[in-house]
């Protein structure tokens, strides 16, 4: 496939106009101002369009699409205890499969090519992800509230089997990460054993960290140290880790994350909607910590509108540090793409560059809201609408184009997810 | 025109499904579960769609579309002094006309039917607004830095002439409001004289109020009172007033706004992007103060994506008061429609009800991000994308439908605005 006359966001996160970009199979093989001398198959006229790396959503719980808009405007504990937990207790594999499929449809519609997911019913998720053609770093999240050993837990056995069966499946599209849900939902013993196991198999770690003030303060009361210090002491960060939220990290926590190369996955919409706070992204970036972007679940977002998420990311940070110069559009675009790929351990994607995987999106930049163009990078982050994405491609395969889904039966995914949600509500 | 099989957001801000809504001329004349017994002309199949009141944008500076994305990531004073003010010094009527036209195209694309605009070059704005078919409460904003009398000011003469010529023009689509720009850009004498004149002609007042901390604190240092107390003492609030921003209002200010029936036009995106702060919307709503929603200019937003603005409105408020139960979706939808109409002094619009003007929008609610539907009202505010608007109508006339603009030559508006912006940049 050959894109012609198209603007691109290049690997330096600069705009180049009137470019040719050629794809062979899964990879980007040609980027030039000059027309190529050979054919690449389909020719895509990019007039009024921008081609860039697809988005990487580094913190999600895709099956929670089932609970979109269910129980709004509630305090966090009420919401969890009265709505989310009882609902989740009735989940079925079928419900998870269809909700994941719906989430993947929404993802590609909004330009998300790759997702980092933390949930359970993992086999059902894998099935939907594999069929959808998207990329995913999937983890079966571990919780433990008693004095069990890691391998006494059914969840741990599932997690191990998941890794052994599916890690790097589908030509690497699917990766299996390890996950401790959070400090307050596990024991020191389990965390230490998970850290050792994860290190031994060379996997990535995904964990919730200091999302709410109460979680953060209760950890300090319980262990005499912050969640970041606690996990670090137990060796969790000895393996490449993505820590979601990090709203309440403080003091030495920043140095720990930097020293250990932990990626912070910031989820500004969910954090603001749940009134959890705003992550100090400018400080993290200033320190050179890898900061990526996540949507969290649509039960607390309530969409996978990733361009909107980028705007929240940049604007919430400015308000957080009372400085309109904080977080540049380039930093926001980097967080949304290459920093996410780094977090997922995918060095072969996250930028539009020769030799990289063709994980790409096309944006329509012809709308009234995208003019005038003093700076297309500014317009991309602050003016674009989520639905400006008109084409989404993973490994060179088109998954979405102009309202059409090529790997997902959207109508059926909507129907089955609605039906599954109703069935669960009836069983409550 | 007859909408059939359509979901509606009714005047109680509740959803009703499978409805018939008929339009005769400018008005809504039929709303029922039953099919009407007579014809209404064109029949619109509303399957997978929602019909609701169009949005009312109660604080904008439309011609600043010229400066979208121009000079980002700068501190407020730098941005104004190095970028905005020098640019504005080179404005022409032609530039303002085309930029207003572009802003109106963007408005109808995102479902905004009516705008409250504060700027100058008003005749050029009126021309674009009249042609675009949108509604507008327009004001020629007054500033004064010396000891002039009101009627010595050229701007005041323009303002008076504008009111006398265009107030209630185009069948009431265009209204002319009065405007004092802000406390720090005018004198007590001018404010008092404007208050008296505005009261005498029965016009509405539009003013910036306590947008930034420095503006608020400097007023207290200068006058020994807050901007709200200052304006109130000078009689400005004796006329129906819309006060934009109100981020830093405190103490008695809330009682003043309530007692005087002032509408607060909140601009959450712009306030967050400029790191000005977050308006205490929950407190205003609890006190029964009319709170509406504005985009501010796209130089500081940087779009007129009104559904996004609603989401910011609700989520920023939760973070502001650290309470996820603050600002319900219904309150957000009310602020976006009927509270805006009230602010504009338009009792004939702002809700979908029999006898009201057909100022309506249709949203496509069939996308993956709008399912499942536990609550369509929740999905509307938190899950919808700005571009889900597929039809925008003012006074029963369709202005936008499925990418087509019926009153605006979008291609020309883009071209001329780009050209005007370039010309101004060259002259700097």
């Amino acid at each position: 496939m050959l894109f012609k006359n198209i603007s691109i966001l290049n690997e330096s996160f600069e705009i180049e106009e009137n470019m040719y970009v050629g794809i062979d199979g899964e990879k980007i093989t040609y980027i030039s101002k000059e027309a190529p001398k050979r054919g690449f198959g389909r020719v895509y006229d990019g007039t009024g369009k921008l081609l860039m790396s697809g988005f990487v959503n580094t913190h999600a719980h895709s099956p929670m699409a089932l609970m979109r808009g269910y129980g709004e405007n509630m305090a966090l504990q009420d919401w969890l205890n009265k709505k989310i937990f009882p609902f989740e207790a009735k989940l079925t594999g079928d419900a998870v499969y269809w909700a994941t499929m719906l989430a993947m449809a929404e993802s590609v519609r909004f330009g998300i090519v790759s997702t980092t997911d933390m949930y359970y019913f993992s086999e059902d998720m894998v099935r939907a992800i594999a069929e959808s053609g998207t990329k995913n770093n999937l983890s079966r999240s571990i919780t433990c509230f008693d004095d069990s050993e890691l391998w006494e837990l059914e969840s741990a056995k599932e997690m191990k089997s998941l890794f052994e069966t599916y890690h790097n499946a589908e030509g690497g599209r699917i990766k299996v990460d390890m996950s401790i849900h959070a400090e307050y939902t596990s024991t020191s013993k389990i965390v230490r054993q998970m850290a050792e196991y994860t290190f031994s198999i060379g996997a990535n770690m995904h964990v919730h960290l200091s999302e709410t003030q109460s979680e953060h303060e209760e950890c300090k009361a319980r262990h005499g140290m912050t969640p970041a210090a606690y996990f670090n002491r137990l060796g969790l960060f000895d393996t490449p880790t993505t820590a979601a939220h990090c709203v309440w990290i403080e003091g030495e926590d920043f140095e720990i994350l930097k020293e250990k190369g932990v990626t912070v996955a910031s989820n500004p919409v969910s954090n603001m909607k749940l009134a959890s706070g705003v992550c100090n992204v400018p400080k993290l970036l200033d320190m050179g910590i890898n900061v990526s972007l996540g949507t969290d679940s649509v039960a607390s977002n309530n969409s996978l509108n990733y361009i909107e998420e980028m705007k929240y990311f940049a604007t919430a940070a400015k308000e957080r540090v009372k400085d309109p110069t904080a977080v540049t559009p380039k930093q926001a675009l980097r967080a949304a793409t290459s920093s996410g790929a780094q977090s997922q351990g995918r060095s072969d994607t996250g930028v539009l560059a020769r030799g990289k995987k063709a994980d790409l999106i096309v944006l329509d930049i012809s709308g009234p809201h995208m003019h005038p163009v003093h700076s297309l990078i500014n317009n991309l982050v602050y003016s674009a609408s989520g639905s400006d994405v008109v084409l989404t491609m993973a490994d060179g395969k088109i998954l979405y184009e102009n309202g059409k889904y090529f790997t997902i039966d959207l109508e059926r995914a909507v129907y089955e997810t609605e039906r599954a949600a109703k069935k669960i509500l009836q069983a409550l």
Side-chain angles (χ1 to χ4, degrees), chain A:
Chain A
M1 181 160 179
L2 180 73
F3 296 91
K4 69 167 190 180
N5 302 333
I6 202 157
S7 294
I8 69 168
L9 183 72
N10 71 16
E11 59 185 318
S12 310
F13 291 83
E14 307 279 357
I15 302 290
E16 294 183 82
E17 294 182 343
N18 289 314
M19 298 294 289
Y20 291 86
V21 176
I23 316 277
D24 283 308
E26 297 184 343
K27 290 195 174 172
I28 302 160
T29 52
Y30 187 87
I31 305 176
S32 176
K33 283 256 176 230
E34 308 296 323
K37 295 199 168 59
R38 64 172 175 97
F40 279 83
R42 176 182 171 189
V43 177
Y44 183 102
D45 180 7
T47 309
K49 305 276 192 340
L50 173 102
L51 183 69
M52 63 177 283
S53 168
F55 297 127
V56 183
N57 180 4
T58 54
H59 185 62
H61 311 284
S62 292
M64 291 180 80
L66 285 160
M67 286 156 265
R68 188 199 310 272
Y70 174 62
E72 290 296 323
N73 276 75
M74 299 176 76
L76 183 66
Q77 284 314 314
D78 260 16
W79 177 67
L80 288 173
N81 293 323
K82 295 184 183 166
K83 292 283 181 174
I84 300 302
F85 294 155
F87 192 104
E88 286 186 328
K90 303 286 182 188
L91 282 181
T92 63
D94 204 46
V96 165
Y97 168 81
W98 284 112
T100 303
M101 198 62 107
L102 183 65
M104 292 306 112
E106 185 178 357
S107 295
V108 300
R109 199 274 159 269
F110 289 127
I112 297 167
V113 169
S114 193
T115 300
T116 303
D117 249 315
M118 180 198 285
Y119 212 61
Y120 51 120
F121 284 91
S122 309
E123 297 257 352
D124 303 287
M125 292 179 68
V126 164
R127 204 151 48 93
I129 293 157
E131 290 172 23
S132 74
T134 57
K135 302 193 169 187
N136 204 298
N137 279 40
L138 186 79
S139 62
R140 196 298 177 211
S141 168
I142 302 291
T143 59
C144 180
F145 301 91
D146 58 27
D147 65 350
S148 299
E149 302 287 322
L150 181 63
W151 299 115
E152 288 169 359
L153 301 175
E154 279 310 309
S155 56
K157 291 172 198 161
E158 268 182 50
M159 169 194 82
K160 185 166 184 289
S161 150
L162 191 75
F163 183 82
E164 289 166 359
T165 317
Y166 296 109
H167 188 54
N168 284 322
E170 301 286 328
R173 276 204 290 116
I174 293 174
K175 291 188 185 292
V176 177
D177 292 350
M178 299 294 117
S179 171
I180 285 286
H181 175 267
E183 174 276 328
Y184 66 101
T185 50
S186 56
T187 61
S188 307
K189 178 161 60 176
I190 292 294
V191 173
R192 183 177 286 115
Q193 291 177 353
M194 269 291 284
E196 284 165 9
Y197 173 68
T198 306
F199 184 83
S200 75
I201 60 172
N204 279 10
M205 174 54 58
H206 189 193
V207 66
H208 287 117
L209 190 75
S210 299
E211 176 178 5
T212 67
Q213 187 173 21
S214 62
E215 166 199 345
H216 186 78
E217 294 302 327
E218 283 164 19
C219 174
K220 284 158 70 178
R222 202 157 29 230
H223 301 293
M225 65 187 86
T226 63
Y230 166 82
F231 281 135
N232 189 43
R233 200 197 48 170
L234 294 170
L236 203 73
F237 298 156
D238 292 343
T239 196
T241 298
T242 295
H245 304 299
C246 299
V247 171
W248 291 93
I249 53 170
E250 58 177 318
E252 294 299 307
D253 293 352
F254 288 89
E255 277 73 37
I256 290 171
L257 299 180
K258 179 168 172 62
E259 189 198 318
K260 292 297 183 169
V262 171
T263 291
V264 173
S266 181
N267 302 268
V269 176
S270 172
N271 293 157
M272 204 175 288
K273 183 155 176 286
L274 293 172
S276 302
V278 177
C279 177
N280 193 341
V281 167
K283 179 165 179 178
L284 293 166
L285 290 173
D286 284 350
M287 289 179 67
I289 293 167
N290 191 49
V291 180
S292 64
L293 190 52
T295 58
D296 209 351
S297 92
V298 298
S300 63
N301 185 312
N302 298 348
S303 71
L304 303 176
N305 188 331
Y306 204 86
I307 288 178
E308 177 184 273
E309 195 82 42
M310 267 203 301
K311 186 166 179 177
Y312 264 85
F313 178 76
T315 54
K318 294 174 199 305
E319 174 56 26
R320 171 70 169 78
V321 298
K322 311 287 177 213
D323 178 3
T325 72
V327 180
T328 63
K330 208 178 270 197
Q331 285 176 319
L333 287 163
R334 208 180 279 276
T337 55
S338 63
S339 299
Q342 183 181 330
S343 145
Q344 292 192 329
R346 295 179 187 269
S347 57
D348 59 359
T349 186
V351 288
L352 199 171
R354 212 166 142 243
K356 297 287 181 183
K357 291 287 182 77
D359 298 333
L360 299 171
I361 57 176
V362 176
L363 273 70
D364 181 341
I365 54 171
S366 70
H369 56 296
M370 295 297 280
H371 294 282
V373 188
H374 290 290
S375 153
L376 187 50
I377 294 205
N378 290 346
N379 287 2
L380 269 183
V381 173
Y382 295 124
S383 311
S385 162
S387 318
D388 289 343
V389 175
V390 293
L391 186 151
T392 301
M393 166 189 280
D395 282 352
K397 187 173 168 185
I398 296 176
L399 307 180
Y400 172 84
E401 188 174 0
N402 296 329
K404 289 202 179 67
Y405 300 79
F406 296 97
T407 51
I408 298 170
D409 181 342
L410 176 62
E411 212 173 315
R412 177 137 192 236
V414 166
Y415 173 82
E416 298 283 0
T417 306
E418 290 278 7
R419 193 165 77 151
K422 277 202 192 82
K423 221 163 148 184
I424 291 170
L425 290 180
Q426 281 160 4
L428 285 179

